[in-house]
Amino acid sequence: MSCIHSYGSIASFSVPSSPSFTRRSRCASKSKLLCALGGSVAEPKVTSVAEPLLLNAVRGDDVERPPVWLMRQAGRYMKSYQTLCERYPSFRERSENVDLIVEISLQPWKVFKPDGVILFSDILTPLSGMNIPFDIVKGRGPVIFDPLHTAEDVDQVREFVPQESVPYVGEALTILRKEVDNQAAVLGFVGAPFTLASYVVEGGSSKHFTKIKRLAFSQPKVLHALLQKFTTSMTKYIRYQADSGAQAVQIFDSWATELSPVDFEEFSLPYLKQIVDGVKETHPDLPLILYASGSGGLLERLALTGVDVVSLDWTVDMAEGRRRLGPNIAVQGNVDPGVLFGSKEFITSRINDTVTKAGRGRHILNLGHGIVVGTPEENVAHFFEVAKGIRY
């Protein structure tokens, strides 16, 4: 399947100074198109009007523009969220109450109408259901009360049963699916095994990851046992989210890029692949997106997981990322979140640059990381306005 439908150059559209792109003549509509990554590819499929734009783009259908959503689009930069936080100061309350989850998830949808509406939650949400007590403390972040360091600690980790432990997630996704009504794709998400293991071994966030690496390099069997428990649990969690209404699921492996390539191949890649294979057995049409910040050195390995979309961070040139990943995988990203602090003209130019380099089709426009706290809300509005005005 094609990733970029091009007439001998990387993009099949021109970039004028205005926010929109102009459509080129399809003089070769009956012939095969040349993929900018090399080789010939078949014509894109006709878009289904019943499916959200994001799903059509991921599957290689012919779309008029790239779908757009932003990581952390529901969050602290929005005044409506800040107001809600004053009433409900506990993050866990906000992320574990059905009504609050739905309200927060829909805040950016009501204002910006993105093409993806992602569940408001946290990758650590399943931990309590696995007998790993935790909290998310304002100003400090995640805190694991009893970090895991031994085989005995890992033995105490329970099998995750989402229907019992996080029913509010399923209920919220079902409501979101009805509220959005296929005008956008409802997105779920989970944490990847190595990233979850990093949190529970380190006791929270870390700068040097010495504890998880000590475990990996001195007691690898213990870490592998923990990773397998997270793998089995996250496979179930993705299936549960899909059955509840999620139309695509993003896997966050935020800390996998702290591993060298050879260690990534041992402690992350096989578990990611196991999750993808397991989900595809029961939900073959569910798009899976993989994001790992700072992943420039691991791109080719990320593609080996079998996911449908690799989300690039902003340190990777989009055109280079396309070339390295190959034509059979979609890409997401990858505007620097800091761009949203620039002028509207600057934001427009960076959006145009990213879409140009991504080429036509199989691209979800996004940031290369989550929206930064303090980002001007009007600049986010401008980002969506420009993005939705694009035409291939």
Side-chain angles (χ1 to χ4, degrees):
M1 185 60 66
S2 163
C3 58
I4 305 175
H5 308 296
S6 173
Y7 298 84
S9 63
I10 194 165
S12 64
F13 49 86
S14 57
V15 184
S17 57
S18 65
S20 298
F21 297 126
T22 57
R23 186 184 299 273
R24 279 194 179 182
S25 171
R26 296 191 180 181
C27 58
S29 62
K30 297 297 183 180
S31 63
K32 288 187 175 181
L33 302 175
L34 180 65
C35 180
L37 301 175
S40 60
V41 295
E43 279 279 352
K45 295 176 289 183
V46 176
T47 301
S48 168
V49 294
E51 290 285 320
L53 178 65
L54 187 147
L55 301 185
N56 290 325
V58 170
R59 292 166 181 162
D61 293 350
D62 189 19
V63 293
E64 65 177 7
R65 65 171 176 86
V68 57
W69 71 280
L70 302 181
M71 287 182 276
R72 293 184 184 166
Q73 65 187 16
R76 289 173 288 178
Y77 73 98
M78 294 191 74
K79 292 180 181 178
S80 56
Y81 180 77
Q82 295 168 11
T83 300
L84 187 143
C85 289
E86 293 175 359
R87 294 161 50 205
Y88 305 98
S90 167
F91 179 87
R92 287 198 60 181
E93 181 181 9
R94 295 193 298 272
S95 62
E96 297 178 14
N97 176 290
V98 174
D99 293 337
L100 294 178
I101 294 171
V102 171
E103 181 179 351
I104 296 169
S105 301
L106 290 176
Q107 283 178 344
W109 164 249
K110 292 176 179 178
V111 178
F112 309 122
K113 286 294 187 289
D115 296 303
V117 175
I118 191 165
L119 174 79
F120 180 78
S121 185
D122 193 87
I123 63 172
L124 302 186
T125 294
L127 294 187
S128 293
M130 300 182 71
N131 196 32
I132 306 174
F134 81 101
D135 200 359
I136 298 177
V137 181
K138 184 177 181 180
R140 185 177 174 186
V143 176
I144 308 301
F145 296 123
D146 299 303
L148 311 184
H149 297 140
T150 68
E152 291 72 23
D153 294 336
V154 174
D155 287 342
Q156 297 302 310
V157 177
R158 290 198 302 257
E159 179 180 331
F160 181 56
V161 182
Q163 296 89 337
E164 298 176 2
S165 300
V166 292
Y168 47 85
V169 168
E171 292 174 36
L173 284 168
T174 300
I175 295 170
L176 287 173
R177 184 70 178 270
K178 292 177 181 177
E179 289 286 334
V180 176
D181 194 27
N182 257 11
Q183 296 176 65
V186 173
L187 308 176
F189 70 93
V190 302
F194 182 79
T195 290
L196 294 175
S198 294
Y199 277 112
V200 303
V201 172
E202 295 286 340
S205 300
S206 177
K207 286 186 177 181
H208 303 293
F209 297 87
T210 53
K211 295 176 182 178
I212 187 75
K213 290 188 177 182
R214 180 184 295 117
L215 188 64
F217 303 147
S218 66
Q219 302 181 72
K221 289 185 179 180
V222 175
L223 180 54
H224 280 300
L226 179 59
L227 292 169
Q228 186 57 58
K229 287 194 172 186
F230 278 130
T231 298
T232 302
S233 295
M234 293 307 104
T235 302
K236 290 182 178 180
Y237 196 24
I238 293 174
R239 290 169 174 163
Y240 173 69
Q241 291 187 23
D243 290 341
S244 300
Q247 293 165 286
V249 175
Q250 179 155 312
I251 303 169
F252 286 89
D253 207 352
S254 308
W255 304 130
T257 52
E258 294 294 327
L259 294 169
S260 68
V262 66
D263 294 320
F264 176 81
E265 290 176 356
E266 179 175 356
F267 296 108
S268 182
L269 178 59
Y271 298 102
L272 289 169
K273 191 175 188 305
Q274 187 177 331
I275 288 173
V276 174
D277 290 345
V279 171
K280 292 297 184 179
E281 285 181 4
T282 55
H283 298 75
D285 298 322
L286 178 72
L288 296 176
I289 307 167
L290 176 60
Y291 174 78
S293 58
S295 60
L298 297 172
L299 284 189
E300 292 83 357
R301 290 171 174 84
L302 297 185
L304 295 176
T305 61
V307 293
D308 303 279
V309 186
V310 170
S311 189
L312 305 176
D313 79 346
W314 73 94
T315 65
V316 179
D317 180 81
M318 177 57 80
E320 181 183 339
R322 276 287 207 187
R323 177 183 58 79
R324 291 173 59 189
L325 288 168
N328 296 318
I329 191 166
V331 292
Q332 179 174 272
N334 68 336
V335 178
D336 183 343
V339 167
L340 292 176
F341 290 94
S343 68
K344 289 181 170 57
E345 292 76 16
F346 183 68
I347 294 169
T348 298
S349 69
R350 286 302 180 91
I351 292 173
N352 288 349
D353 178 68
T354 298
V355 175
T356 300
K357 290 178 176 177
R360 181 178 183 122
R362 290 206 171 208
H363 174 223
I364 302 169
L365 181 60
N366 205 313
L367 300 177
H369 199 278
I371 296 178
V372 180
V373 177
T375 298
E377 194 167 340
E378 62 269 22
N379 285 1
V380 176
H382 179 73
F383 189 102
F384 280 110
E385 180 184 358
V386 173
K388 297 181 77 172
I390 291 169
R391 293 296 179 270
Y392 284 129

